[in-house]
Amino acid sequence: MSPRTPSQYEEMREEKRSLIMDVALEHFSNIGFHATTITHIAKHAGISKGLMYNYFKSKEDLLSAIINRSIADIYTYFNPDHDSHLTPDEFELFIRKVFHVLHEKRQFWKLLYRIMLQPGVYENLFSEERMSISVSGVPLREFSENMMMLLTDYFERKKERAGADYDSRVELLMFSNAVKGFAMTSIFSAEQYQGDYFERVIDALLKRYK
């Protein structure tokens, strides 16, 4: 048997990391973040506790990795050319990709929301001292601020073709609330989107805000 190449070892390592994160997500959600131990996760992932620490330094590090992976799924498609200018086509791509990720990985996001709503988890994970969440290497807070600036500019530019009563701040707020509401109902109440209703809601959002 030929020895494994460095790339094969790295692929195996990433597969094991992914397995550990999937196991941890399930147990953090069902048992509770604080009640779940590293030993418990290692046992159900089929590895030793010592080996577990070769992949993650702590439970908090493990949860940060889960969050980073999920955020990457969502935000990879925002302003993909990184030119600080959001076009209508990029806006549509982002909306469609976001909701298809939520739809296709609904169980994952349901479990993740359960974890983040547990007492103290969100505050600890996103505290100034522990802020380790990032998007493509950019700290989440910085990325979020830049994202909001681009969206604000995008809605402001729509004044050029909108009526005199157009208020970009109100439109952006309404858009943000509509997206959050659709995201939550598509995750926790998927029965509302049977048949083609999921796509029809996306089309309606785009027709209203693109």
Side-chain angles (χ1 to χ4, degrees), residues 27-98:
H27 290 276
F28 286 161
S29 174
N30 294 329
I31 300 174
F33 177 76
H34 299 294
T36 303
T37 65
I38 286 289
T39 301
H40 183 93
I41 296 169
K43 176 182 177 181
H44 286 270
I47 62 175
S48 68
K49 181 179 178 180
L51 184 58
M52 179 79 172
Y53 286 109
N54 287 338
Y55 293 96
F56 301 99
K57 295 179 294 185
S58 63
K59 283 197 306 181
E60 289 77 14
D61 182 43
L62 178 49
L63 182 56
S64 291
I66 294 171
I67 302 295
N68 273 310
R69 181 175 66 175
S70 62
I71 285 176
D73 279 347
I74 292 292
Y75 290 131
T76 296
Y77 304 101
F78 185 79
N79 189 34
D81 57 5
H82 307 292
D83 66 349
S84 300
H85 180 85
L86 192 65
T87 68
D89 286 343
E90 289 172 338
F91 179 83
E92 177 173 350
L93 172 67
F94 176 63
I95 296 303
R96 291 194 181 281
K97 290 292 186 180
V98 164

Side-chain angles (χ1 to χ4, degrees), residues 1-202:
M1 181 180 294
S2 301
R4 292 188 177 94
T5 65
S7 62
Q8 288 174 324
Y9 274 113
E10 184 61 29
E11 184 178 340
M12 290 173 60
R13 179 176 175 81
E14 286 305 310
E15 288 176 356
K16 181 61 72 173
R17 277 177 58 89
S18 182
L19 170 64
I20 293 169
M21 285 191 279
D22 289 342
V23 170
L25 178 69
E26 189 78 31
H27 290 276
F28 286 161
S29 174
N30 294 329
I31 300 174
F33 177 76
H34 299 294
T36 303
T37 65
I38 286 289
T39 301
H40 183 93
I41 296 169
K43 176 182 177 181
H44 286 270
I47 62 175
S48 68
K49 181 179 178 180
L51 184 58
M52 179 79 172
Y53 286 109
N54 287 338
Y55 293 96
F56 301 99
K57 295 179 294 185
S58 63
K59 283 197 306 181
E60 289 77 14
D61 182 43
L62 178 49
L63 182 56
S64 291
I66 294 171
I67 302 295
N68 273 310
R69 181 175 66 175
S70 62
I71 285 176
D73 279 347
I74 292 292
Y75 290 131
T76 296
Y77 304 101
F78 185 79
N79 189 34
D81 57 5
H82 307 292
D83 66 349
S84 300
H85 180 85
L86 192 65
T87 68
D89 286 343
E90 289 172 338
F91 179 83
E92 177 173 350
L93 172 67
F94 176 63
I95 296 303
R96 291 194 181 281
K97 290 292 186 180
V98 164
F99 286 118
H100 280 105
V101 167
L102 294 177
H103 189 62
E104 292 165 4
K105 299 184 178 181
R106 192 170 64 87
Q107 185 61 21
F108 169 86
W109 284 94
K110 183 181 289 188
L111 294 176
L112 188 58
Y113 270 111
R114 287 178 184 169
I115 295 170
M116 300 307 291
L117 291 174
Q118 292 172 21
V121 172
Y122 182 91
E123 292 79 5
N124 183 47
L125 189 67
F126 288 90
S127 66
E128 291 289 343
E129 297 78 15
R130 295 195 50 81
M131 191 63 171
S132 58
I133 309 301
S134 63
V135 182
S136 301
V138 179
L140 179 59
R141 184 170 287 110
E142 180 183 338
F143 183 90
S144 298
E145 290 172 353
N146 183 57
M147 180 179 179
M148 185 54 63
M149 286 176 59
L150 291 182
L151 284 171
T152 299
D153 175 68
Y154 178 81
F155 278 87
E156 184 69 20
R157 281 186 279 115
K158 290 178 64 177
K159 280 185 176 181
E160 298 172 4
R161 60 179 188 273
D165 294 333
Y166 178 84
D167 188 322
S168 61
R169 290 176 296 178
V170 171
E171 286 293 303
L172 177 54
L173 181 61
M174 290 175 62
F175 164 73
S176 176
N177 288 334
V179 167
K180 291 173 184 176
F182 184 25
M184 291 298 287
T185 55
S186 68
I187 292 169
F188 289 98
S189 302
E191 66 279 359
Q192 296 186 32
Y193 303 104
Q194 299 299 316
D196 64 346
Y197 276 96
F198 187 80
E199 293 292 340
R200 289 172 65 181
V201 172
I202 293 175

